[in-house]
Amino acid sequence: MKLWLPTSHAFMATPSAFRSVRRACSASSSLKWEGGVSMVQGASRGIGLEFVKQLLEKNDKGHVVATCRNPDRATGLVDLKDKFAERLNIVPLDLTIESTIEASAKFIREKYGSLNLLINASGILSIPNVLQPETTLSKVERSSLMLSYEVNAVGPILTIKHMWPLLKAGGGSGTERDVAVVANLSARVGSIGDNHLGGWHSYRSSKAALNQ
């Protein structure tokens, strides 16, 4: 799902949020980041890692902030950092801990002052000995439902919340776009209309919530 964020629309927020936007706008006006600034949340492997790779390779001036829970164990990101040292930043972010999302936003604000693209790529379907896709309704557990919802739905919207002032400040500046973009990676199984087989209740429910 892609959310277009027109810079001409009114931004309703508290006075402190307006001050944050003004600070971000001031910072971004003093430094023009040609190629734009992108953030990929959930970048340690899979689709998220490939997004980082493509953003760096296809735009030789763009900067990328890649976030994941354990940067030290993200070997793919470390390899890209060796190759794109000046344009890639790896920042720790755990979707279940909001303070790490706030810290990531602070890092981007202080280093760049703005953001042009946010990709929420994180998602969980299974974790050994913790979370397994349910094949029958009898296997549904509260803990699985809550964990799936926290990572697949709550985490992405909290990330958008904290990056919103930066996206407002960045818009499409330095890119070929007119506006900033937020992209959330969902799944076809999150569609209620597509659910003819049942199963995977935690994952399906959380992705349906993400779609909303």
Side-chain angles (χ1 to χ4, degrees):
M1 181 176 68
K2 182 178 291 184
L3 301 179
W4 298 94
L5 307 176
T7 55
S8 61
H9 285 188
F11 174 51
M12 301 302 293
T14 62
S16 61
F18 276 116
R19 287 193 293 271
S20 296
V21 172
R22 285 197 295 270
R23 286 196 297 269
C25 289
S26 176
S28 63
S29 63
S30 62
L31 291 174
K32 300 296 183 181
W33 298 104
E34 187 176 359
V37 181
S38 303
M39 173 182 170
V40 181
Q41 179 272 116
S44 62
R45 57 190 177 88
I47 295 176
L49 178 61
E50 185 62 23
F51 268 119
V52 175
K53 182 174 182 290
Q54 294 292 325
L55 285 167
L56 291 168
E57 290 182 347
K58 294 188 175 183
N59 182 349
D60 59 5
K61 295 181 180 179
H63 291 250
V64 178
V65 178
T67 71
C68 60
R69 284 193 306 160
N70 299 302
D72 293 338
R73 296 169 56 185
T75 55
L77 285 178
V78 173
D79 291 342
L80 287 175
K81 180 66 175 177
D82 291 338
K83 186 177 180 181
F84 302 98
E86 298 299 319
R87 297 194 292 119
L88 174 60
N89 300 276
I90 305 174
V91 179
L93 187 155
D94 186 334
L95 287 179
T96 66
I97 304 174
E98 189 173 1
S99 61
T100 67
I101 303 175
E102 292 179 290
S104 297
K106 180 181 179 182
F107 172 85
I108 297 172
R109 182 172 64 250
E110 293 179 349
K111 185 172 181 65
Y112 296 109
S114 62
L115 188 63
N116 307 106
L117 171 65
L118 168 61
I119 299 175
N120 280 312
S122 281
I124 56 168
L125 171 63
S126 65
I127 301 175
N129 302 317
V130 176
L131 173 64
Q132 295 296 326
E134 305 92 346
T135 55
T136 66
L137 190 60
S138 62
K139 294 185 177 181
V140 171
E141 296 182 1
R142 177 183 174 83
S143 59
S144 297
L145 289 165
M146 298 303 291
L147 179 59
S148 294
Y149 191 79
E150 187 173 23
V151 174
N152 294 340
V154 176
I157 197 169
L158 288 178
T159 302
I160 296 170
K161 165 191 170 183
H162 289 290
M163 302 304 159
W164 178 255
L166 294 164
L167 290 161
K168 290 286 291 183
S173 61
T175 73
E176 297 179 353
R177 301 183 300 270
D178 295 327
V179 294
V181 173
V182 175
N184 296 320
L185 269 64
S186 186
R188 180 175 177 177
V189 296
S191 166
I192 295 175
D194 182 67
N195 187 2
H196 302 294
L197 299 177
W200 290 20
H201 302 287
S202 297
Y203 186 75
R204 285 182 184 274
S205 300
S206 62
K207 286 298 186 179
L210 175 65
N211 292 342
Q212 180 61 41

